[in-house]
Amino acid sequence: EDNDEPLGERISPLGDIYRINLRPAIEVGISPEKLWDAVVESSRMFNENLPVRKRKIEAQIETIGLEFQDIPREPSGHSEQYKELAAPSYRLIHGSLFRDLIRG
């Protein structure tokens, strides 16, 4: 069966978070160690930049008529139907690390 998943997808409102799909990552030879290093570094980067991210996201939320305090803080996760149909398997990394990750 052919895998038509993209290797990476930009998923954040600010454009700085990528979802790296594991099946294509394995297919192109990204090592688990290198991916792990990117995930760890991304976490550090996201935490350091949290106040700036929050301000930018708050501004975006206000433009669509919502209040920041009304947005759920916990991730919703995937529905059981989506998990069954798509079998999601991915990691999140900062966009600035994406190019280095695929260069090997």
Side-chain angles (χ1 to χ4, degrees):
E1 179 177 324
D2 289 337
N3 179 4
D4 62 355
E5 289 178 288
L7 173 60
E9 301 169 84
R10 191 178 304 185
I11 63 164
S12 72
L14 304 179
D16 61 344
I17 300 175
Y18 277 74
R19 173 176 35 226
I20 303 299
N21 292 305
L22 297 181
R23 286 176 284 269
I26 291 167
E27 290 172 5
V28 299
I30 295 174
S31 76
E33 295 81 11
K34 189 159 185 160
L35 180 57
W36 174 253
D37 291 344
V39 169
V40 170
E41 177 64 12
S42 296
S43 176
R44 184 193 63 72
M45 293 168 77
F46 296 145
N47 285 331
E48 284 180 356
N49 202 19
L50 200 55
V52 172
R53 293 183 61 76
K54 183 179 176 192
R55 282 194 305 276
K56 287 181 178 180
I57 292 171
E58 283 175 334
Q60 287 181 337
I61 289 169
E62 289 172 7
T63 65
I64 59 172
L66 294 174
E67 299 293 328
F68 190 76
Q69 63 270 12
D70 296 333
I71 305 298
R73 297 296 185 270
E74 296 298 317
S76 60
H78 299 298
S79 70
E80 290 304 317
Q81 182 181 16
Y82 178 78
K83 285 190 243 181
E84 186 177 313
L85 292 173
S89 184
Y90 60 86
R91 298 297 178 266
L92 302 178
I93 68 166
H94 194 276
S96 66
L97 302 175
F98 184 71
R99 182 174 295 161
D100 289 339
L101 183 65
I102 61 174
R103 283 188 178 157

